[in-house]
């Protein structure tokens, strides 16, 4: 850890932790969507939309703090990238739920539950990791595991695409379902972006 002669603005740590906790809320709503009847999905989408707005607020608070702080705990660019990637995760999860409702999807294809389970695990790991930014301790296993989960998500996504194009679904349904599974894949990618940014920060601070 580098020795610093100047104090650091520490409120960023709390804001990153709050943003990650909100992502866990979003991932749980995705899990809830899986077991919900179609008639109950609109209400879940409303709660997801509220969580996404809370995520936006958290991101704007980080940006405001960044613009008003003379001293930051690590590079400004890394703070911006971390906050933006956390925000992307919530955006993608909210979009997936919204599409399920807007497209009146009766039944999600088999395998989507595996996508969401991966996202749920990545959310939990991310929330556990954010407080460790204070000390940069115990982070290596986090980014290794999130990268492994993203590789798993890639495999699940490819299998889902193969399933969608096997002739079981009509063309319009394929377009709808493909957009949903693609957005869930983008959420997995965003988790990896967060983990990669954390690794970059840790390397710089070591």
């Amino acid at each position: 850890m580098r020795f610093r002669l100047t104090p650091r603005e520490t409120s960023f740590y709390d804001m990153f932790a709050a943003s990650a906790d909100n992502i866990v809320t979003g991932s749980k709503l995705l899990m809830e969507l899986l077991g919900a009847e179609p008639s109950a999905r609109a209400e879940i989408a409303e709660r997801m939309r509220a969580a996404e707005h809370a995520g936006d607020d958290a991101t704007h608070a980080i940006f405001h703090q960044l613009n008003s702080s003379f001293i930051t705990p690590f590079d400004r660019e890394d703070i911006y990238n971390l906050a933006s990637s956390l925000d992307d995760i919530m955006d993608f999860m909210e979009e997936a739920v919204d599409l399920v409702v807007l497209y009146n999807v009766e039944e999600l294809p088999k395998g989507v539950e595996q996508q969401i389970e991966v996202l749920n695990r990545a959310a939990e790991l991310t929330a556990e990791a954010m407080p460790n930014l204070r000390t940069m301790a115990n982070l290596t296993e986090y980014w290794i595991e999130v990268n492994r989960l993203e590789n798993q998500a890639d495999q699940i996504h490819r299998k889902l695409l193969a399933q969608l194009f096997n002739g079981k679904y009509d063309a319009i349904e394929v377009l709808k379902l493909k957009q949903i599974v693609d957005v869930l894949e983008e959420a997995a990618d965003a988790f990896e972006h967060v983990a990669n940014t954390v690794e970059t920060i840790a390397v710089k601070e070591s």
Side-chain angles (χ1 to χ4, degrees):
M1 184 69 69
R2 291 187 309 209
F3 177 71
R4 295 176 184 269
L5 296 175
T6 53
R8 296 191 291 182
E9 172 55 64
T10 60
S11 61
F12 287 104
Y13 301 121
D14 294 331
M15 289 189 285
F16 282 131
S19 183
D21 287 343
N22 190 57
I23 288 170
V24 172
T25 298
S27 72
K28 289 180 178 178
L29 287 169
L30 272 176
M31 294 289 288
E32 188 175 341
L33 183 79
L34 279 176
E37 294 294 327
S39 60
R41 289 173 178 168
E43 189 271 335
I44 296 172
E46 281 297 320
R47 284 189 280 141
M48 179 63 96
R49 197 167 296 114
E52 193 272 333
H53 289 329
D56 284 343
D57 290 342
T59 303
H60 293 152
I62 293 170
F63 290 162
H64 176 76
Q65 189 69 30
L66 183 61
N67 291 331
S68 60
S69 296
F70 178 68
I71 298 168
T72 58
F74 35 86
D75 286 353
R76 291 176 179 273
E77 181 180 359
D78 292 330
I79 291 174
Y80 180 86
N81 288 339
L82 183 53
S84 296
S85 295
L86 288 167
D87 189 59
D88 287 344
I89 294 169
M90 277 302 303
D91 287 346
F92 290 133
M93 291 196 299
E94 190 273 333
E95 182 180 354
V97 173
D98 201 35
L99 288 173
V100 170
V101 174
L102 290 174
Y103 289 161
N104 294 313
V105 174
E106 287 294 323
E107 184 178 354
L108 291 165
K110 186 178 180 180
V112 169
E113 73 280 359
Q114 295 175 3
Q115 274 192 306
I116 292 175
E117 285 169 4
V118 167
L119 295 179
N120 190 59
R121 181 58 184 148
E124 292 172 348
L125 289 170
T126 302
E128 291 169 6
M130 288 302 106
N132 292 337
L133 288 171
R134 288 181 180 273
T135 60
M136 297 296 164
N138 303 317
L139 287 170
T140 303
E141 290 183 5
Y142 151 69
W143 65 66
I144 289 174
E145 179 61 11
V146 170
N147 276 272
R148 187 194 70 80
L149 287 170
E150 197 278 331
N151 289 334
Q152 183 180 343
D154 283 344
Q155 294 173 354
I156 295 167
H157 182 244
R158 287 193 290 269
K159 289 178 181 178
L160 276 164
L161 292 181
Q163 180 183 340
L164 291 178
F165 290 109
N166 68 5
K168 175 182 175 181
Y169 302 93
D170 66 44
I172 297 299
E173 195 70 10
V174 168
L175 290 174
K176 292 178 180 180
L177 296 176
K178 182 180 183 300
Q179 191 171 358
I180 292 166
V181 301
D182 284 352
V183 170
L184 290 172
E185 171 64 11
E186 289 183 279
D189 289 343
F191 273 114
E192 185 180 39
H193 294 159
V194 168
N196 290 345
T197 301
V198 169
E199 181 179 8
T200 297
I201 294 167
V203 169
K204 288 181 181 179
E205 293 296 304
S206 63

